[in-house]
Amino acid sequence: VTHDSQAVGGIDIGGTKIAVAIGDHDDRLLDVARFPTRIERGPHAILDETLETLSALARRANVRIASVGIGCAGPLDRGRGLVLSPPNLPGWDELPIVDLVERRLDVPVVFDNDANAAALGEHRQGAGRGLHSLVYMTMSTGIGGGVIVVDKLVHGVADAAGEIGHMVVQPNGPACNCGARGCLEAICSGTAIARRARERIGAGAESSMGAIAGGVEAITAATVARAALDGDPVARHLWDETIEYLALGIGNVLVTLAPEAIIIGGGVAAAGDQLFEPLRARVRQNVTMLPPDRVTISPAALGGDSGLYGALALGRSVLAEPR
Amino acid sequence: VTHDSQAVGGIDIGGTKIAVAIGDHDDRLLDVARFPTRIERGPHAILDETLETLSALARRANVRIASVGIGCAGPLDRGRGLVLSPPNLPGWDELPIVDLVERRLDVPVVFDNDANAAALGEHRQGAGRGLHSLVYMTMSTGIGGGVIVVDKLVHGVADAAGEIGHMVVQPNGPACNCGARGCLEAICSGTAIARRARERIGAGAESSMGAIAGGVEAITAATVARAALDGDPVARHLWDETIEYLALGIGNVLVTLAPEAIIIGGGVAAAGDQLFEPLRARVRQNVTMLPPDRVTISPAALGGDSGLYGALALGRSVLAEPR
């Protein structure tokens, strides 16, 4: 057996895919592997494949895993190391993931929810590199977020900090899964954008979106973005409205925390300039309390890997400071 | 000359009154004095009286002032130690207050805006004592705020953190002094509550508020609160609406930061249970992302002295750590 060097493991667990990586202590990614979650086989089989994959990466790189960071769809109980009842991970209720992984690998494990991990990843190695404060938000099925102040994640009571998808931006607006009305998530998540499009068409609006998507039920946020670019009036109105409410939500974050950057990930951010240019302009009009050139609003630089880089950062954190 | 012990000076500068205090290193208040600002005499005469009062307190207590903290109506440029152009302190534009006081007293001076100072005061010695995170808000002429995370004030870029009065809670709502529409301040500040009452009466609503105040133009937020308690339907509606929007704003802060406490100071908070009981209930209904019993929503414990205690804490901070 050769004397191998230490490395950190990172695991990003989502409802559709899992990414596993090993990295060194200097923020370098040594190797990465991805596979579909296949949620139906249950958490233990999924964890088996995850940890076997991690071990295989370590063997191939001839390193020893010294700690592991995990980013996982929430809600979680970080204190007790439990996955609670994530809508995206049915069957994972109260799963003691930290204990399970610590026992299998005999190394310290740190975990956090996927949005916090992504915020950390973007802060350490993405669009927020070198900044001391930022708010990350992911716009996909829902809207999640992570807040970094003075270089550290803010968790808040019950780990609820960063739940900016549940800011109310339209009083008495559409019902949100959380039970409230008019939450940012209920209007601007990818799911909500698509739902609003289907509702308008269902109410009789004439639009090319159904044809673009191959059926009204197949409309996604990307359909709306594309049809808006093509000049479809219904889609343009939906897109403008999305930017309007998103700008309100981001404005509310800016006047509360005045972070150096707002970084947006998730599928909706893939619209690129079509999203970011009008969004920046609208935020600038709304928020006069801070100079607009002092806050950047930009897409995540690590794309779908923000959370994986964050998981590696979580793993490194436990080596840097005693738990 | 006897060998006197060291003390800290605290100065709270507002548009109508100034409070000056000396304290020891252990958060104890040794003496305090107050006098009217009399803004018309100009900043230099005002600073003269302020510093003479501080020196008189120190002589009387037989202590030597080793540092001074100043809380002052904003906007400020903390980095350059300047008071900018506060609406409440006309004639103080670009006043280099830190330099002026440092030269006169030959001790280090730390300053911050009044809302941040009040947040710090409540954190160290008021309703937030022993907590690690809180958001303070003051509801008076405007709505200001201060954010404390991990025991420290968050300033943010351009010192704009804590400007929660400029969260938009009613899209396309009433115009705010900041240039935007529907800001919390434009609906829920004392000034805005009174303005909304006068507008309703001006539009023909029948109400006892004019009689209570001795004229429609004399109506204040306190008039609205009192008339609402007495059962005046217009006042009750105004009060309920105020609580509705305030709850939205506080809910938005909770899902962003999940602080341990929301602490409310300023004249409107004097309404006590009439404000806090329905406010807590409404926030609880709106915010499902964190357990309601984990966040307290309570009045400032130091009343009008939150900022003065905060100024003393600012003064102490410079002694504790090298600048």
Side-chain angles (χ1 to χ4, degrees):
Chain A
V1 180
T2 61
H3 181 77
D4 47 17
S5 58
Q6 283 200 351
V8 168
I11 302 172
D12 179 34
I13 303 176
T16 55
K17 63 181 169 42
I18 289 174
V20 174
I22 52 173
D24 67 11
H25 292 68
D26 288 326
D27 288 350
R28 264 184 297 261
L29 186 73
L30 301 177
D31 203 354
V32 62
R34 297 164 213 276
F35 54 90
T37 308
R38 292 195 289 122
I39 196 69
E40 67 283 359
R41 56 186 166 152
H44 294 281
I46 294 169
L47 274 185
D48 281 349
E49 181 173 2
T50 303
L51 299 182
E52 281 158 19
T53 305
L54 186 61
S55 298
L57 293 183
R59 275 196 304 276
R60 196 158 75 189
N62 195 29
V63 293
R64 190 175 62 78
I65 304 273
S67 66
V68 171
I70 304 176
C72 183
L76 315 173
D77 182 331
R78 272 196 323 129
R80 297 194 294 150
L82 303 180
V83 181
L84 296 178
S85 44
N88 297 335
L89 296 172
W92 288 52
D93 314 63
E94 305 268 320
L95 187 80
I97 191 169
V98 169
D99 265 14
L100 289 170
V101 178
E102 283 188 342
R103 280 176 199 183
R104 278 277 289 270
L105 301 182
D106 198 24
V107 298
V109 172
V110 186
F111 92 140
D112 211 326
N113 73 56
D114 46 5
N116 281 349
L120 198 60
E122 288 292 327
H123 177 243
R124 298 299 153 80
Q125 298 188 257
R129 199 169 178 162
L131 304 182
H132 301 297
S133 61
L134 63 84
V135 174
Y136 170 86
M137 56 192 294
T138 173
M139 298 176 69
S140 54
T141 316
I143 292 186
V147 174
I148 287 180
V149 172
V150 198
D151 295 316
K152 287 205 160 59
L153 278 170
V154 176
H155 286 102
V157 303
D159 285 343
E163 288 287 1
I164 56 182
H166 299 285
M167 281 194 296
V168 174
V169 291
Q170 187 187 4
N172 303 312
C176 183
N177 290 332
C178 77
R181 301 193 79 87
C183 293
L184 189 59
E185 172 168 306
I187 302 169
C188 298
S189 65
T191 315
I193 295 170
R195 189 204 68 235
R196 285 161 47 223
R198 290 193 300 266
E199 284 171 0
R200 303 282 160 96
I201 294 170
E206 282 194 33
S207 166
S208 61
M209 288 186 280
I212 291 175
V216 170
E217 288 310 307
I219 290 172
T220 65
T223 317
V224 178
R226 167 145 173 235
L229 262 189
D230 290 347
D232 180 286
V234 176
R236 285 180 91 131
H237 182 260
L238 283 164
W239 194 253
D240 291 349
E241 200 178 59
T242 302
I243 283 160
E244 189 68 29
Y245 286 107
L246 183 58
L248 282 180
I250 289 175
N252 288 351
V253 169
L254 295 191
V255 297
T256 303
L257 277 173
E260 292 163 277
I262 300 285
I263 298 172
I264 307 181
V268 180
D273 287 350
Q274 189 191 359
L275 177 71
F276 286 93
E277 288 186 1
L279 179 62
R280 291 184 191 111
R282 206 66 195 86
V283 169
R284 198 165 299 179
Q285 286 176 310
N286 286 352
V287 179
T288 61
M289 304 311 293
L290 65 177
D293 58 322
R294 298 280 304 274
V295 182
T296 60
I297 299 178
S298 61
L302 304 171
D305 282 339
S306 309
L308 183 60
Y309 280 91
L312 286 167
L314 288 171
R316 286 184 190 99
S317 71
V318 78
L319 293 183
E321 33 191 16
R323 301 167 84 210
Chain B
V1 180
T2 61
H3 181 75
D4 47 16
S5 58
Q6 283 200 351
V8 168
I11 301 173
D12 179 35
I13 302 177
T16 55
K17 63 180 170 42
I18 289 173
V20 173
I22 50 173
D24 67 12
H25 292 67
D26 288 326
D27 289 349
R28 263 184 297 261
L29 185 72
L30 300 177
D31 204 353
V32 60
R34 297 164 212 275
F35 55 90
T37 308
R38 293 195 288 121
I39 196 71
E40 66 284 358
R41 57 187 164 152
H44 294 281
I46 293 169
L47 274 186
D48 281 350
E49 182 173 2
T50 302
L51 299 183
E52 281 158 19
T53 305
L54 186 61
S55 299
L57 292 184
R59 275 195 304 277
R60 197 159 75 188
N62 196 29
V63 293
R64 191 175 61 77
I65 303 274
S67 67
V68 170
I70 304 177
C72 184
L76 314 173
D77 182 330
R78 269 194 328 129
R80 297 194 297 150
L82 303 179
V83 180
L84 296 178
S85 44
N88 297 333
L89 296 171
W92 288 53
D93 314 62
E94 303 268 321
L95 187 82
I97 191 170
V98 169
D99 264 15
L100 288 170
V101 177
E102 283 190 342
R103 280 176 198 183
R104 278 279 288 273
L105 300 182
D106 199 26
V107 298
V109 172
V110 186
F111 91 140
D112 211 325
N113 74 55
D114 45 6
N116 282 349
L120 198 59
E122 288 293 327
H123 177 243
R124 299 298 153 82
Q125 299 189 256
R129 199 168 179 164
L131 303 183
H132 301 298
S133 62
L134 62 84
V135 174
Y136 170 86
M137 57 193 292
T138 172
M139 300 176 68
S140 53
T141 315
I143 292 187
V147 173
I148 287 180
V149 172
V150 198
D151 295 317
K152 288 204 160 59
L153 277 170
V154 177
H155 286 103
V157 303
D159 284 344
E163 288 286 1
I164 55 181
H166 299 284
M167 279 192 297
V168 173
V169 292
Q170 188 187 4
N172 303 311
C176 183
N177 290 330
C178 78
R181 301 193 78 89
C183 293
L184 189 61
E185 172 167 307
I187 302 168
C188 297
S189 65
T191 315
I193 295 170
R195 189 204 70 235
R196 285 161 48 223
R198 290 193 301 267
E199 284 171 0
R200 303 280 160 97
I201 293 170
E206 281 194 34
S207 165
S208 61
M209 288 187 280
I212 291 174
V216 170
E217 288 311 308
I219 290 172
T220 64
T223 316
V224 179
R226 170 145 170 233
L229 262 190
D230 290 350
D232 181 288
V234 177
R236 286 179 90 133
H237 182 260
L238 283 165
W239 194 252
D240 290 349
E241 200 177 60
T242 302
I243 283 160
E244 190 67 29
Y245 286 108
L246 184 57
L248 281 180
I250 289 175
N252 288 352
V253 170
L254 294 191
V255 296
T256 304
L257 278 172
E260 293 163 277
I262 300 285
I263 298 172
I264 307 179
V268 179
D273 286 350
Q274 189 190 358
L275 177 70
F276 286 93
E277 287 186 0
L279 179 61
R280 290 185 192 112
R282 207 64 194 86
V283 169
R284 198 165 302 181
Q285 285 177 310
N286 286 352
V287 180
T288 60
M289 303 311 293
L290 64 178
D293 58 322
R294 297 280 304 272
V295 181
T296 60
I297 300 177
S298 61
L302 304 170
D305 282 338
S306 309
L308 184 59
Y309 280 91
L312 286 167
L314 288 170
R316 286 183 191 102
S317 70
V318 76
L319 293 184
E321 30 190 18
R323 301 170 81 211

